[in-house]
Amino acid sequence: MRLRYKTIWLSDIHLGTRDCKAEYLLDFLNHIECESLYLVGDIIDFWKLKSGWHWLKLHSDVVFAVLKLAQNGTRVIYIPGNHDEILRDYIGNSVQGIEILENDIYQSLNGQSYLVLHGDEYDGVVCNNKWLAYLGTYAYDALLLINRWFNLFRRKCGFPYWSLSAHIKHSVKNAVNFIYQFESVLALEAKKKGVDGIICGHIHHAVIRNIDDTLTYCNTGDWVESCTALTEDLNGNSP
């Protein structure tokens, strides 16, 4: 049985990395139908080409599942992020039925408008100090490596999965401040565009929340730790 949606948003899948949860994503894609699918950046991690490409058959299966959706009538929109920024050279083109856009304005069934973008454009570290962004990526990779061994030990002891890396990220004051500032900056951009909300990815922190009671901020999360998606059903519920 397939679950039916009007629109689904996915981001930060990071195909090509060891920590991509491709098996869970493939199961999700095989059990949904939707009119529109937004891929909101960092779908394929081209940064990893330089430091250790890890491409499994499951990663190809995810790509084929997305292509199959496009062939079967789903409108697929790809908005590149910083890890797949090479695809920004193809903005305005369509590849295998997949539209590549810089950003988009989405109109929900309940009449709300949302600016859809990856979000790295408003991350000062990525925009102004790219070498710091790469350093942050390596630090995050180190956390994920520790997390893999930590959860291997937990499984052997009979305990369920628990993300040590996510706990550290969301407990460190500077990381929490960065998330808050990132959300605030994107909220300001949404207000400038005259939309009711924003849908983004980039910081791997899934959330839907109201800002100043005037704007809805939605982050799709990721498929490295949280394995989350944003959806709008056929009745217009969420975002």
Side-chain angles (χ1 to χ4, degrees):
M1 179 179 175
R2 290 178 178 266
L3 299 174
R4 298 188 64 210
Y5 297 95
K6 183 179 186 295
T7 307
I8 295 174
W9 292 263
L10 302 169
S11 78
D12 298 277
I13 298 169
H14 291 277
L15 294 169
T17 68
R18 189 177 298 276
D19 292 290
C20 167
K21 301 297 188 294
E23 64 274 26
Y24 300 135
L25 178 56
L26 184 62
D27 182 67
F28 175 75
L29 292 172
N30 286 336
H31 288 88
I32 56 97
E33 292 178 0
C34 55
E35 296 175 15
S36 299
L37 171 65
Y38 279 85
L39 304 173
V40 195
D42 287 1
I43 306 305
I44 300 175
D45 196 326
F46 288 103
W47 283 14
K48 277 296 178 181
L49 279 171
K50 301 176 182 178
S51 60
W53 190 247
H54 185 79
W55 192 273
L56 303 176
K57 180 180 181 296
L58 275 169
H59 296 196
S60 296
D61 291 342
V62 167
V63 173
F64 291 139
V66 171
L67 290 173
K68 185 177 179 180
L69 285 170
Q71 291 167 1
N72 289 339
T74 296
R75 184 189 178 207
V76 180
I77 303 97
Y78 195 137
I79 296 173
N82 50 308
H83 283 255
D84 46 16
E85 62 188 349
I86 189 172
L87 297 178
R88 286 175 173 160
D89 292 339
Y90 301 93
I91 283 173
N93 294 298
S94 179
V95 179
Q96 294 293 312
I98 297 175
E99 302 171 44
I100 303 176
L101 302 178
E102 182 178 6
N103 54 58
D104 198 24
I105 301 293
Y106 180 79
Q107 298 288 338
S108 69
L109 286 175
N110 61 16
Q112 302 293 297
S113 59
Y114 293 84
L115 174 63
V116 185
L117 75 173
H118 181 63
D120 65 292
E121 309 96 313
Y122 300 93
D123 177 349
V125 172
V126 172
C127 292
N128 301 320
N129 297 287
K130 184 166 268 192
W131 70 272
L132 281 177
Y134 279 108
L135 183 62
T137 297
Y138 288 126
Y140 183 51
D141 286 347
L143 270 178
L144 291 175
L145 177 61
I146 294 169
N147 192 64
R148 282 202 302 272
W149 287 104
F150 174 74
N151 276 285
L152 178 62
F153 175 76
R154 282 179 63 85
R155 281 199 303 273
K156 290 192 175 186
C157 293
F159 295 109
Y161 177 86
W162 183 74
S163 180
L164 174 66
S165 53
H167 174 73
I168 292 173
K169 258 198 320 181
H170 299 147
S171 299
V172 175
K173 182 178 179 181
N174 285 344
V176 173
N177 287 341
F178 169 78
I179 291 172
Y180 175 78
Q181 291 169 5
F182 178 82
E183 293 176 355
S184 299
V185 168
L186 264 68
L188 286 174
E189 182 62 22
K191 289 178 181 178
K192 288 180 185 177
K193 298 284 188 184
V195 295
D196 301 298
I198 196 150
I199 296 171
C200 64
H202 185 51
I203 60 172
H204 295 211
H205 183 62
V207 67
I208 299 176
R209 74 179 186 90
N210 292 325
I211 297 179
D212 298 330
D213 296 322
T214 59
L215 184 139
T216 303
Y217 170 89
C218 308
N219 193 293
T220 57
D222 65 86
W223 288 83
V224 174
E225 293 179 277
S226 62
C227 297
T228 49
L230 181 68
T231 65
E232 180 185 21
D233 68 19
L234 297 175
N235 296 315
N237 297 315
S238 181

